[in-house]
Amino acid sequence: MLNKIVAFANQKGGVGKTTSSVNFSAALVALHYRVLLVDLDPQGNATVGSGVNKETITAGVNEVLQEQIDIEKAIISKTEAGYALLPANGDLTVAEVALLRKPAQESNLKKALNSVRENYDIIVIDCPPSLNMLTLNAFVATDSVIIPLQCEFYALEGLSALMNTIDQVQRTLNPSLVIEGIVRTMYDPRNRLSTEISAQLIVHFGTKIYQTVIPRNIRLAEAPSHGVSIFLYDRNSRGADAYMALAREFLKYHKKMPLLEAVDAVGLIEN
Ligand SMILES: Nc1ncnc2c1ncn2[C@@H]1O[C@H](COP(=O)(O)OP(=O)(O)OP(=O)(O)O)[C@@H](O)[C@H]1O
Ligand SMILES: [Mg+2]
């Protein structure tokens, strides 16, 4: 059993955290892993992108973080994409403020996830676009961080603040925290700046860069408006191929999965 928690984080907005969280989770489901996706963003994009109406949820990660409800009561056990979801909506902003008012609230998510951890092979956390109390809860709870990065002019700005925060958490609240890797998103190989920044990243971070590159693909942008993952929306798209490749690359590093034996029971895996 894999038993991993991984957070998609980058305080820069719109870099593909949610698109990656949703479709990485869906790819792992297609490979027969039991996945829980945690929406840790008050925007609730991962919730909506999983086909759940964020306005109608009565319990979510907000209540869990404030220790008002048992996590099992807040988890939606099966979304259309096949993973379980701990949903979020705007109420989560309330939790963020409430957590700041009380001391030592940075381990609340960890405590909650620990109680359900054995029910899943992988727990994926979609972080908000800031280095706030919510993201800190993610860094304390998670085993590793995947950083989605868009290869554009400002991409590297803020990366050192992110690395420093992870470093601080490593030295204090979560000594086993690691950076899993950086994944290049919305990549356009025809754009010279993209290829230059990508080359710089490889020089700086070497093997920490995932070989899998997520291309700019309109189907990935369309899928959330239908509340489904890319595998349900257009499994033949380049976006679907890319997220399946990312999931496989992640699994390869963890050496737990016999890649050739992945069974295509739901007909989602090509090649
Ligand atoms: N590979 C891609 N190709 C095309 N569009 C994409 C791709 N990845 C993400 N998008 C689109 O870019 C926008 C930002 O993506 P996403 O919401 O995943 O980023 P985010 O980092 O979660 O944003 P936020 O910081 O607001 O949480 C969305 O409209 C999304 O549909
Ligand atoms: Mg997001």
Side-chain angles (χ1 to χ4, degrees):
M1 184 168 149
L2 204 51
N3 195 16
K4 284 269 159 218
I5 305 184
V6 58
F8 282 87
N10 187 340
Q11 76 276 27
K12 190 176 269 298
V15 295
K17 293 179 289 296
T18 303
T19 305
S20 298
S21 300
V22 165
N23 294 305
F24 178 78
S25 297
L28 289 167
V29 166
L31 293 168
H32 307 286
Y33 286 85
R34 296 168 306 158
V35 183
L36 169 66
L37 174 58
V38 177
D39 188 353
L40 201 57
D41 185 349
Q43 295 180 102
N45 293 345
T47 299
V48 174
S50 302
V52 172
N53 183 346
K54 65 178 177 178
E55 307 310 334
T56 58
I57 54 170
T58 49
V61 70
N62 165 42
E63 289 78 11
V64 171
L65 284 173
Q66 293 194 74
E67 300 178 313
Q68 292 167 349
I69 189 176
D70 192 58
I71 184 169
E72 288 189 62
K73 293 214 174 73
I75 289 174
I76 296 165
S77 57
K78 197 150 186 168
T79 58
E80 228 180 298
Y83 48 75
L85 176 77
L86 179 55
N89 62 20
D91 297 346
L92 187 52
T93 311
V94 179
E96 209 241 317
V97 176
L99 292 178
L100 283 174
R101 288 219 185 98
K102 294 191 235 160
Q105 301 292 298
E106 53 284 292
S107 301
N108 289 15
L109 184 63
K110 182 192 172 90
K111 276 189 257 167
L113 291 183
N114 272 347
S115 69
V116 293
R117 215 180 154 147
E118 72 276 15
N119 299 342
Y120 306 98
D121 299 307
I122 303 180
I123 299 177
V124 175
I125 306 173
D126 181 26
C127 291
S130 59
L131 288 175
N132 61 9
M133 190 62 176
L134 297 171
T135 304
L136 185 58
N137 260 271
F139 288 168
V140 173
T142 195
D143 297 314
S144 63
V145 180
I146 296 180
I147 304 172
L149 210 101
Q150 230 181 313
C151 292
E152 52 168 42
F153 183 59
Y154 294 111
L156 304 179
E157 205 175 79
L159 198 57
S160 60
L162 177 59
M163 297 290 189
N164 286 341
T165 306
I166 292 172
D167 200 50
Q168 275 176 34
V169 176
Q170 240 162 14
R171 274 183 278 144
T172 52
L173 297 159
N174 185 1
S176 56
L177 178 64
V178 292
I179 294 175
E180 183 86 35
I182 294 173
V183 59
R184 291 162 285 174
T185 58
M186 297 178 235
Y187 194 74
D188 179 1
R190 291 163 303 182
N191 179 335
R192 218 180 101 214
L193 187 60
S194 286
T195 52
E196 278 173 22
I197 290 172
S198 177
Q200 271 183 35
L201 279 174
I202 290 166
V203 170
H204 282 290
F205 298 102
T207 56
K208 284 280 183 198
I209 307 289
Y210 276 102
Q211 281 172 18
T212 304
V213 175
I214 310 297
R216 186 169 281 286
N217 175 226
I218 187 72
R219 308 303 268 169
L220 284 170
E222 289 167 353
S225 66
H226 300 267
V228 293
S229 76
I230 193 65
F231 301 99
L232 290 173
Y233 184 63
D234 186 353
R235 69 189 176 100
N236 296 315
S237 62
R238 289 194 308 138
D241 285 348
Y243 277 108
M244 182 54 75
L246 183 68
R248 286 177 180 273
E249 193 178 349
F250 170 89
L251 292 168
K252 192 174 81 185
Y253 290 140
H254 291 281
K255 291 192 173 77
K256 295 282 165 116
M257 189 201 163
L259 285 179
L260 296 173
E261 288 174 25
V263 191
D264 188 11
V266 274
L268 291 179
I269 308 164
E270 282 146 59
N271 79 18

